[in-house]
Amino acid sequence: MTRPAPERTTILDARALARALQRMAVEVLEQAQGTDALILIGIQRRGVELADRIAKLIEKEEGFVVPRGALDITLYRDDLETVGPKPVIGETRIPGDLTGKHVVIVDDVLYTGRTARAALDELADFGRPERISLCVLVDRGGRELPIQADIVGKQVKAGARDRVEVLVEELDGRDLVELVRRETS
Amino acid sequence: MTRPLLLAGGRVIDPSRGLDQTADVLLQDGKITAVGSNLGRPDGVEVRSVAGRVVAPGLVDIHVHLREPGNEDVETVATGARAAAAGGFTAICAMPNTDPVTDNQAAVGFVVRQGVRAGFARVHPIGAVSVGQRGEKLAEFGEMVGAGAVAVSDDGKPVYSSHLMRTALEYAHTFGIPVADHCEEPTLASGGVMHEGLVSSRLGLKGIPSAAEEIMVARDILLAELTGGHVHLCHMSTRGSVELIRRAKERGLAVSAEVTPHHFTLTDHACEEYDTHAKMNPPLREAGDVAALRSALKEGVIDCIASDHAPHAYDAKEAAFDDAPFGIVGLETAFGIAHTELVRGGVLSLPALIERMSTAPAKLFHLAGGTLAPGAPADVVVLDLDDEWTVAPERFFSKSRNSPFSGRRLTGRAVLTLVAGKPVHEGGSPAL
Amino acid sequence: MTALGKDLVGLEHLAPEQIRLILDTAEPFKEVSERPIKKVPALRGKTIVNLFFEASTRTRISFEFAEKRLSADTVNVAATGSSVSKGETLVDTAKNLEAMRIDMVVIRHGASGAAQFLGSRIRSNVINAGDGKHEHPTQALLDLLTIRDKHGKIEGLKVCLVGDILHSRVARSNIWGLTKLGAQVGVCGPRTLLPRGIEELGVTVFRRIEDAIAWADVLNVLRLQLERMEKGFIPSLREYYRVFGVTVERLERAPRDITIMHPGPMNRGVEIDSRVADGSHSVILDQVTNGVAVRMAVLYLLAGGRPELADAAKRGGGAE
């Protein structure tokens, strides 16, 4: 007996995603009060591509190239013990010294908050930024830690059995955010 | 005085007289009285039906290590003799590399008496070639023979000095005993722990080349020719040795040879995983050597099978391969392995196997067994050829458990062993 | 499923994908060693014992750095087994470690098979840092990584090991690793120092160093130990240098630039010329750097990972 396909709902199509990123770029600038000390760091994976796009939007708007980096948090996960075969570790590159900077962490989905917490732990090993903000494309609720995003593209209500899938042109060939509902058995 | 015993209706195989037929065997007063049909029933005779079984002269193992005196915790004369009986052996020859070495008449007499006291398989001591097995001075062959020694050997080690080997062969000739040599050229073999070949290269273990054995085999054959003495080559393991022995026999020299069940069954691949139960000296060799040893047994180029039973404490073998001692036990698996591999394997007929495990070794060492001729000692074994069993070392009668055959399924074993007409082993043996 | 299993005993029984996994995992760990704070919490709370029965400074230090950079707690045990009870010591050691609930053991021992012996007797992960003449897998892995960094690939490269192959666990591990990843492997050295049947492992034998140099893209020069001369395998170190030494003059006649490697420590003037070791084609120091990263990767991949908890976590929807 085959299981029926899970139900998929589009949260953001390509245009909606572009508009969200546009708004998020503006909010980043507002919160940063200028670009002098701004650094955008995307969390592997997809957070890196989103950080890139936001940086390009800011560059178009302000004519200023925002330094950006990538952060892989695998080695800082709090569930390495239980994750089974070790996940592949992506690239981490941090542009220069973080001291005195305003770091904006960019990620695709905020859920339990553990990824953000791991990112904070890891950044602490690179220096002492003056300020760290969290900027996410989708906030799906379900926090397990007291963490909140400063900038949110879209708020979504998702249950424990649901998945929020983010696809980006650079990696997946198209821009799309979908809510995938599991069948209740 | 025990009652007369009639073993009725079995397949009687007596290689000493070319006998292989269904018949009864009558035993009285510790001797074989008659073999045939319609033997009549003397007064008080106990009749045992052995229909469907094989009745043969008791097996004889001319190469066994009993660790008494010196290492009684791993085996004694008594436990070894009991294990032998379980394996179908009515006589075993005990090598002298004990502690102290059995190189004088008192030591030889001690082993004889321990064997008699134990009352299982007969124990015939082999005396040392040299005092202390140090390879310098000849031991007193005459006195040792007088006390019961049936051969001399420095086994465990080779007789390195060719001069000493020559003298030993000449001197042994006086008493009509063979000199049994452990053929190993020590400078080639030194430090080696397994056969030198591709497997040892992969495992990073130092190897013992086949040439180390063949060099001493060639030397011993030449000395046998020079002296006219009888040299017996222990535990042959290489195809090169087989070739040398074949040519020596073609020339009619007094050269005899034995092979162990593990050498005609296992190859050096058994050492992969660094299993110390595959560590022995001479080492397990290659498939080509195994094939040559089987053919040699078939042709009679190798005269007999001997176990080289070498008990070791369980934790002695629980060590890195380099550090573990050489040797495995074999008395309780010898017949099972030989029958399964050689008879069921189509290499030897059953009468030929009995000949190699009973008649031939008895003749080589001038022992009274190996035959069911009337008047011979009533050393008899009853074999169940269809008995399928699994080797379980924890149930051995031997004190030691170091066997590479643990868990192996075998066919054939002794169900009744009689020495001088007295049962010394009965029923399914412990290794079920 | 490319997971490595419980222990790293050698490369002989690893699949090529598993070897590649280790090399790929080592890359991000190289970056960790470049950070101001050279530490990640991945193995925090894990206890690792460095059990060295043979003296070794560089391998032990390399492992220690790897362990500490992963935030593990390390204990160094220098156990010199007496010749009488070497084997006994190993069994007892295994049982003691098990009783202390150590997470991982890095073992170097003089007997081939010692790592496997330990691994089959304790539940801790066992990493072979060199067992007798058998294997030294992390050395070969860092050699492979160094070659890949320098040449961009391993497949199709011609790598020649030079020296005492017979007694070298580094050589054996390299032969396995290189052949599995598709390199062509050669060996060159005195016949007395070549193992029996070496050709059957898929290796080309060069009798003369000049032929090896004419053929190879990479030379991995092995250390010649003084005792080989004392045991009569070669007549003298001087003759060895004259006949098999990797010298500037010989390399000048090579048809291409040859990458020079050496597992260390070097006998300058015996197996290799100083000018070659310190020259522009030498990657010997890169080998050392890569050693820490490779060892971090191995420890990371072997550590922890209880799959049954992973399944339970997955069924709950997963953490994000």
Side-chain angles (χ1 to χ4, degrees):
Chain A
M1 187 157 83
T2 48
R3 297 226 303 253
E7 189 191 312
R8 305 180 90 95
T9 317
T10 302
I11 298 176
L12 295 171
D13 64 11
R15 281 182 61 194
L17 199 149
R19 269 185 263 123
L21 284 175
Q22 185 77 40
R23 184 173 43 77
M24 286 157 71
V26 170
E27 285 187 42
V28 166
L29 277 173
E30 274 175 9
Q31 289 196 13
Q33 294 164 354
T35 53
D36 295 352
L38 185 60
I39 296 186
L40 287 170
I41 296 191
I43 296 189
Q44 297 280 14
R45 294 184 31 169
R46 295 188 178 81
V48 178
E49 280 69 29
L50 295 174
D52 253 3
R53 292 214 209 160
I54 292 176
K56 288 212 182 78
L57 288 168
I58 291 177
E59 192 182 325
K60 225 171 69 181
E61 189 63 36
E62 301 284 305
F64 180 81
V65 180
V66 180
R68 35 208 194 272
L71 197 68
D72 185 289
I73 56 103
T74 309
L75 296 171
Y76 285 77
R77 288 173 69 145
D78 60 5
D79 63 344
L80 269 184
E81 195 58 32
T82 61
V83 82
K86 290 296 189 298
V88 176
I89 307 169
E91 187 198 5
T92 294
R93 56 171 192 281
I94 303 295
D97 189 10
L98 297 181
T99 309
K101 301 287 188 190
H102 177 182
V103 173
V104 177
I105 300 174
V106 181
D107 203 4
D108 53 351
V109 179
L110 175 59
Y111 178 19
T112 59
R114 293 185 189 275
T115 300
R117 179 259 177 88
L120 290 173
D121 285 341
E122 188 164 1
L123 282 177
D125 282 347
F126 279 95
R128 190 179 183 281
E130 176 149 328
R131 186 174 163 199
I132 301 179
S133 305
L134 179 60
C135 166
V136 299
L137 181 63
V138 175
D139 179 349
R140 62 171 282 184
R143 222 70 86 231
E144 289 174 6
L145 297 173
I147 298 222
Q148 101 273 341
D150 301 288
I151 298 158
V152 178
K154 175 102 179 160
Q155 206 94 32
V156 167
K157 246 206 174 81
R161 303 176 65 87
D162 301 334
R163 228 171 54 241
V164 173
E165 266 183 23
V166 174
L167 304 176
V168 295
E169 175 89 39
E170 300 89 325
L171 293 177
D172 313 298
R174 56 195 171 126
D175 287 343
L176 183 64
V177 179
E178 279 187 319
L179 177 64
V180 184
R181 284 224 139 81
R182 297 283 166 78
E183 281 294 303
T184 45
S185 37
Chain B
M1 256 212 308
T2 43
R3 295 165 62 189
L5 177 61
L6 183 75
L7 300 169
R11 174 182 169 194
V12 177
I13 299 181
D14 182 0
S16 71
R17 297 185 296 153
L19 203 65
D20 181 0
Q21 64 190 71
T22 308
D24 300 338
V25 178
L26 179 61
L27 314 173
Q28 256 177 313
D29 299 329
K31 297 219 187 319
I32 300 188
T33 309
V35 176
S37 322
N38 303 316
L39 294 182
R41 309 274 155 117
D43 288 338
V45 68
E46 179 194 342
V47 178
R48 287 224 210 190
S49 167
V50 289
R53 307 282 161 91
V54 166
V55 180
L59 305 181
V60 176
D61 192 338
I62 54 175
H63 191 140
V64 174
H65 294 274
L66 305 175
R67 304 295 192 195
E68 186 177 9
N71 285 299
E72 291 84 351
D73 48 327
V74 300
E75 196 83 280
T76 62
V77 172
T79 59
R82 179 67 186 89
F89 294 95
T90 51
I92 56 177
C93 298
M95 282 294 182
N97 58 331
T98 47
D99 178 16
V101 170
T102 305
D103 61 6
N104 61 79
Q105 59 157 336
V108 169
F110 170 73
V111 173
V112 169
R113 277 193 306 282
Q114 291 295 82
V116 168
R117 259 201 4 211
F120 297 108
R122 298 178 199 265
V123 180
H124 301 288
I126 297 176
V129 167
S130 61
V131 173
Q133 289 191 319
R134 281 195 294 273
E136 294 159 4
K137 219 162 79 90
L138 279 189
E140 291 164 321
F141 291 5
E143 301 254 299
M144 293 195 293
V145 168
V150 298
V152 289
S153 177
D154 272 353
D155 183 66
K157 300 188 213 166
V159 178
Y160 182 50
S161 157
S162 301
H163 170 71
L164 186 73
M165 185 65 182
R166 176 220 181 130
T167 325
L169 282 166
E170 287 173 333
Y171 194 51
H173 194 261
T174 313
F175 307 100
I177 55 170
V179 177
D181 197 21
H182 165 108
C183 297
E184 179 186 339
E185 207 293 320
T187 64
L188 275 185
S190 134
V193 296
M194 66 172 286
H195 172 66
E196 181 180 294
L198 183 58
V199 177
S200 71
S201 293
R202 276 182 28 232
L203 294 178
L205 293 172
K206 184 159 200 289
I208 301 172
S210 294
E213 175 175 298
E214 292 152 10
I215 286 176
M216 294 306 247
V217 168
R219 179 205 74 170
D220 286 349
I221 290 173
L222 290 167
L223 289 178
E225 183 168 22
L226 177 64
T227 60
H230 172 190
V231 70
H232 178 76
L233 303 166
C234 296
H235 42 53
M236 291 285 91
S237 72
T238 86
R239 65 198 100 171
S241 298
V242 166
E243 257 322 291
L244 291 165
I245 298 167
R246 178 180 290 117
R247 279 187 264 139
K249 290 196 169 184
E250 281 164 10
R251 289 166 46 219
L253 299 177
V255 172
S256 62
E258 72 193 30
V259 65
T260 69
H262 46 275
H263 282 108
F264 63 66
T265 306
L266 302 172
T267 65
D268 56 354
H269 286 286
C271 299
E272 294 177 2
E273 308 292 312
Y274 298 95
D275 183 2
T276 54
H277 291 302
K279 180 175 179 179
M280 68 281 290
N281 194 6
L284 301 171
R285 307 236 188 230
E286 297 169 15
D289 300 300
V290 171
L293 292 166
R294 290 183 176 208
S295 308
L297 255 185
K298 184 172 159 143
E299 296 168 60
V301 168
I302 291 186
D303 305 82
C304 63
I305 294 172
S307 69
D308 195 7
H309 177 90
H312 285 295
Y314 85 93
D315 57 354
K317 284 286 208 178
E318 263 286 281
F321 203 91
D322 281 332
D323 301 323
F326 291 100
I328 55 165
V329 292
L331 283 169
E332 292 169 82
T333 50
F335 179 75
I337 294 282
H339 181 250
T340 310
E341 294 292 315
L342 301 177
V343 177
R344 291 281 169 120
V347 178
L348 281 185
S349 69
L350 181 62
L353 179 65
I354 307 275
E355 198 271 342
R356 306 290 189 275
M357 292 188 77
S358 178
T359 313
K363 241 181 20 211
L364 283 175
F365 278 33
H366 314 295
L367 306 173
T371 174
L372 296 176
D379 292 352
V380 181
V381 65
V382 179
L383 302 158
D384 182 347
L385 300 182
D386 300 311
D387 187 350
E388 280 188 21
W389 54 288
T390 307
V391 178
E394 65 274 12
R395 298 163 82 173
F396 281 167
F397 284 100
S398 163
K399 275 191 177 186
S400 293
R401 309 268 169 268
N402 48 317
S403 169
F405 298 118
S406 177
R408 201 176 176 108
R409 289 288 289 173
L410 298 178
T411 316
R413 66 177 154 182
V415 292
L416 177 65
T417 310
L418 303 159
V419 171
K422 189 180 85 147
V424 292
H425 173 73
E426 260 198 83
S429 85
L432 259 158
Chain C
M1 170 81 144
T2 45
L4 292 183
K6 179 176 89 79
D7 308 314
L8 179 65
V9 164
L11 299 187
E12 184 180 356
H13 299 294
L14 286 189
E17 308 84 69
Q18 291 175 304
I19 297 177
R20 278 189 214 105
L21 173 66
I22 298 173
L23 300 182
D24 292 340
T25 308
E27 289 294 347
F29 282 116
K30 279 204 268 186
E31 180 267 314
V32 171
S33 293
E34 302 296 329
R35 298 183 185 182
I37 295 185
K38 299 175 194 351
K39 227 187 215 304
V40 290
L43 258 56
R44 196 168 66 102
K46 297 268 184 224
T47 326
I48 306 182
V49 171
N50 295 325
L51 188 60
F52 276 60
F53 285 87
E54 278 181 342
S56 150
T57 316
R58 62 179 55 210
T59 304
R60 210 206 68 222
I61 288 183
S62 183
F63 266 106
E64 219 180 311
F65 277 143
E67 292 151 15
K68 290 193 152 90
R69 286 182 187 171
L70 290 168
S71 301
D73 296 321
T74 69
V75 175
N76 289 318
V77 178
T80 40
S82 78
S83 49
V84 170
S85 60
K86 259 199 296 204
E88 200 181 322
T89 307
L90 196 49
V91 178
D92 285 338
T93 303
K95 296 189 181 153
N96 286 332
L97 290 175
E98 178 105 75
M100 286 190 279
R101 310 274 185 262
I102 306 295
D103 293 296
M104 310 179 87
V105 179
V106 175
I107 178 171
R108 167 169 284 196
H109 194 280
S112 302
Q116 183 163 345
F117 181 90
L118 195 66
S120 61
R121 281 163 180 75
I122 58 176
R123 276 171 298 191
S124 321
N125 304 109
V126 173
I127 292 125
N128 184 5
D131 65 330
K133 303 192 293 283
H134 176 227
E135 286 222 46
H136 190 356
T138 57
Q139 177 68 44
L141 287 166
L142 70 90
D143 288 344
L144 289 168
L145 184 64
T146 309
I147 293 175
R148 197 170 79 166
D149 284 348
K150 181 87 175 175
H151 290 265
K153 59 163 186 178
I154 291 174
E155 199 183 351
L157 269 190
K158 301 200 205 108
V159 181
C160 188
L161 302 156
V162 181
D164 180 359
I165 313 290
L166 178 63
H167 299 96
S168 172
R169 50 195 173 212
V170 172
R172 278 174 183 76
S173 289
N174 261 290
I175 289 172
W176 295 123
L178 288 164
T179 49
K180 281 170 197 274
L181 294 190
Q184 292 178 57
V185 183
V187 293
C188 178
R191 189 101 166 76
T192 51
L193 293 174
L194 287 179
R196 279 277 295 268
I198 186 85
E199 300 86 348
E200 290 176 64
L201 298 180
V203 156
T204 310
V205 177
F206 294 98
R207 272 189 316 167
R208 298 172 60 240
I209 188 68
E210 291 82 1
D211 298 335
I213 286 176
W215 172 86
D217 298 309
V218 179
L219 285 181
N220 196 340
V221 185
L222 302 173
R223 170 189 172 72
L224 188 74
Q225 286 171 305
L226 189 64
E227 51 178 55
R228 305 303 166 227
M229 187 188 80
E230 287 164 4
K231 291 248 177 89
F233 286 98
I234 51 168
S236 68
L237 297 181
R238 185 181 64 183
E239 169 134 309
Y240 181 82
Y241 175 70
R242 291 237 187 92
V243 179
F244 292 98
V246 179
T247 63
V248 172
E249 294 73 30
R250 287 189 169 125
L251 286 174
E252 271 167 1
R253 281 182 244 127
R256 62 189 82 83
D257 291 332
I258 301 183
T259 304
I260 302 295
M261 300 174 64
H262 192 302
M266 290 185 278
N267 284 320
R268 291 166 178 267
V270 177
E271 67 260 8
I272 190 170
D273 231 350
S274 274
R275 287 171 296 163
V276 173
D278 301 330
S280 56
H281 297 300
S282 158
V283 293
I284 294 174
L285 290 176
D286 296 321
Q287 287 174 272
V288 177
T289 309
N290 288 336
V292 179
V294 159
R295 287 166 177 136
M296 288 175 82
V298 167
L299 292 166
Y300 167 73
L301 288 168
L302 285 178
R306 286 179 291 169
E308 61 279 16
L309 293 174
D311 290 337
K314 277 207 205 98
R315 268 180 266 118
E320 267 170 75

